[in-house]
């Protein structure tokens, strides 16, 4: 049986840090409000000329080095993002060119905050089918370019970053199962009102900002994230005691706490980065994974449950042996 296994990880955060104190000078908010409602203390914001593909390249370089491979080994690139450099060509091809990766399949997936989970699940299927020998999988966003910096209800939440993973085939157990889902009836609760076939003329104007019904999203997020974790465990006949680390989408510390409570999972077994990264959408899970690996908490042989939830709504999980 072929499994796909994580051979290396990496992350990259833009240099500029925006603190809650900085935001207090921009909108009518306070450090106390942001911390108590979201847990967020700071977030990274990309520079004006920085592109999402630049963040991806920096994260991918680290993952490639960690995996002990070269760019020549890569034969698939999958990127989850909502904030690509361009509408086309897809960002995976831009990354391929920037990194000198030889011709191979390269595509991006748009599933909002669940983008990386969708990308990892897709790459897993390519590897297990035998089509792919080495996949570069990335979750990345420069979501702050979609922010209305006068809208205090959203501008305090989001940050930029990229997380990358190198995935290779292995006889040893790696990815155990993946579960993806979506329910388009919730579109109006969380969306960005500019696209190609609708409202293109509004791009860059005051009408183009993230539209979110925070309270409603919060409730569905908690319900879905606990159900998604349970689904992965049930499918494999496991219980939460069998999981060493839960790595959920980092949208809001209160969402993570409420999910943990519903699952009866101790917070000590949950990797948390929302405090220092903010909500980085598709980048949040791979960056949290990398943080846990780098600081030595996540070790080889441990069982990890990755999960995310985002606009659409979309959701998904990846259960794996690291
Ligand atoms: O990745 C998935 C996408 N997004 C999410 O997961 C977000 C999910 N939702 C949330 O995280 C929370 O709903 C928020 C953090 C967005 C908001 O927290 P909340 O506890 O649901 O607050 P609220 O929306 O009920 O607002 C409470 C009050 C309102 O004032 P009034 O109407 O009670 O007078 C808001 O106007 O807080 C006010 N408010 C703020 N005050 C200070 C909203 N934003 C701010 C702010 N600073 N930045």
């Amino acid at each position: 049986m072929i499994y796909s296994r994580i051979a290396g990880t990496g992350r990259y955060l833009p240099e500029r840090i925006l603190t809650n104190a900085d935001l207090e000078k921009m909108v009518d908010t306070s450090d106390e409000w942001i911390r108590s409602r979201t847990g967020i203390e700071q977030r990274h914001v990309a520079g004006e000329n920085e592109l999402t593909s630049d963040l991806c390249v920096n994260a991918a370089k680290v993952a490639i080095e960690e995996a002990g491979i070269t760019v020549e080994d890569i034969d698939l690139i999958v990127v989850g993002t909502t904030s690509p450099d361009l509408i086309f060509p897809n960002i995976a091809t831009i990354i391929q060119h920037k990194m000198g990766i030889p011709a191979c399949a390269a595509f991006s997936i748009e599933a909002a905050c669940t983008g990386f989970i969708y990308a990892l699940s897709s790459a897993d299927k390519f590897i297990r089918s035998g089509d792919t020998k080495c996949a570069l999988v990335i979750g990345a966003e420069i979501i702050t370019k979609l922010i209305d910096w006068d809208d205090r209800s959203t501008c305090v939440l989001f940050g930029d970053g990229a997380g990358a993973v190198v995935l290779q085939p292995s006889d040893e157990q790696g990815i155990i199962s993946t579960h993806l889902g979506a329910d388009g009836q919730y579109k109006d609760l969380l969306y960005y009102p500019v696209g190609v076939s609708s409202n293109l003329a509004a791009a860059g104007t005051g009408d183009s900002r993230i539209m979110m019904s925070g309270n409603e999203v919060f409730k569905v997020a908690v319900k879905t994230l606990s159900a998604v974790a349970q689904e992965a465990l049930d499918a494999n006949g496991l219980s939460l005691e069998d999981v060493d680390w839960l790595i959920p989408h980092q949208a809001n510390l209160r969402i993570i706490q409420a999910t943990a409570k519903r699952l009866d999972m101790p917070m000590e077994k949950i990797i948390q980065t929302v405090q220092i990264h903010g909500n980085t959408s598709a980048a949040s899970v791979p960056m949290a994974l990398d943080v846990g690996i780098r600081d030595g908490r996540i070790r080889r042989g441990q069982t990890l449950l990755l999960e995310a939830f985002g606009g659409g709504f979309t959701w998904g999980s990846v259960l794996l042996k690291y």
Side-chain angles (χ1 to χ4, degrees):
M1 169 127 180
I2 305 176
Y3 288 99
S4 43
R5 205 160 164 266
I6 292 178
T9 64
R11 72 177 184 280
Y12 180 78
L13 289 142
E15 263 173 44
R16 183 176 161 223
I17 290 175
L18 191 70
T19 64
N20 293 349
D22 295 328
L23 282 160
E24 281 177 348
K25 293 177 203 136
M26 297 161 63
V27 285
D28 180 15
T29 191
S30 66
D31 175 51
E32 198 282 326
W33 191 96
I34 302 171
R35 273 178 205 255
S36 62
R37 299 292 178 126
T38 72
I40 299 168
E41 296 160 20
Q42 62 167 53
R43 68 289 289 144
H44 291 248
V45 176
E48 208 166 309
N49 298 318
E50 214 163 11
L51 303 178
T52 306
S53 61
D54 297 328
L55 273 50
C56 293
V57 167
N58 286 324
K61 279 182 182 162
V62 182
I64 287 168
E65 197 184 324
E66 280 296 306
I69 60 152
T70 67
V71 291
E72 275 79 29
D73 296 315
I74 294 168
D75 58 357
L76 173 71
I77 308 168
V78 191
V79 183
T81 187
T82 314
S83 46
D85 297 7
L86 299 169
I87 290 165
F88 73 90
N90 85 67
I91 189 169
T93 65
I94 297 172
I95 295 162
Q96 178 192 37
H97 179 64
K98 282 187 177 174
M99 298 191 75
I101 297 172
C104 66
F107 62 94
S108 58
I109 292 180
E110 202 281 276
C113 301
T114 320
F116 176 75
I117 297 289
Y118 267 68
L120 191 59
S121 173
S122 305
D124 171 54
K125 285 161 183 43
F126 275 84
I127 288 193
R128 282 193 291 114
S129 73
D131 278 356
T132 291
K133 294 281 170 263
C134 185
L136 175 62
V137 187
I138 304 174
E141 302 286 3
I142 297 190
I143 196 132
T144 59
K145 293 215 172 137
L146 303 180
I147 293 284
D148 173 357
W149 291 104
D150 293 328
D151 177 7
R152 69 174 183 172
S153 67
T154 52
C155 76
V156 302
L157 303 176
F158 296 96
D160 302 328
V165 155
V166 169
L167 212 58
Q168 287 185 307
S170 169
D171 298 333
E172 279 177 58
Q173 204 174 36
I175 291 182
I176 299 166
S177 73
T178 70
H179 300 269
L180 302 179
D183 189 343
Q185 71 171 302
Y186 294 107
K187 180 221 131 196
D188 289 343
L189 296 185
L190 180 57
Y191 68 103
Y192 190 76
V194 173
V196 177
S197 59
S198 68
N199 286 337
L200 189 55
T205 72
D207 293 332
S208 57
R209 62 177 205 278
I210 293 174
M211 313 294 278
M212 185 174 76
S213 306
N215 268 310
E216 300 306 309
V217 176
F218 191 104
K219 284 181 220 149
V220 188
V222 173
K223 247 191 258 168
T224 308
L225 285 169
S226 45
V228 159
Q230 201 56 56
E231 177 188 29
L233 296 171
D234 291 348
N236 294 284
L238 298 177
S239 74
L240 270 173
E241 278 96 73
D242 300 311
V243 174
D244 294 293
W245 295 104
L246 179 67
I247 307 170
H249 171 48
Q250 310 282 319
N252 180 322
L253 187 58
R254 282 164 55 222
I255 293 179
I256 297 173
Q257 286 165 336
T259 305
K261 197 164 165 212
R262 273 176 89 108
L263 288 168
D264 203 14
M265 178 104 181
M267 284 299 281
E268 295 71 40
K269 285 176 73 173
I270 302 179
I271 305 287
Q272 301 162 44
T273 53
V274 67
Q275 297 91 333
I276 51 167
H277 294 169
N279 181 348
T280 58
S281 183
S284 93
V285 170
M287 290 206 295
L289 171 68
D290 187 61
V291 165
I293 291 171
R294 299 283 147 181
D295 68 22
R297 279 179 291 170
I298 297 174
R299 295 189 304 275
R300 284 286 176 196
Q302 289 187 327
T303 303
L304 316 182
L305 180 52
L306 282 49
E307 61 164 352
F309 168 85
F313 291 136
T314 57
W315 59 82
S317 69
V318 177
L319 183 74
L320 64 93
K321 270 260 187 277
Y322 175 58

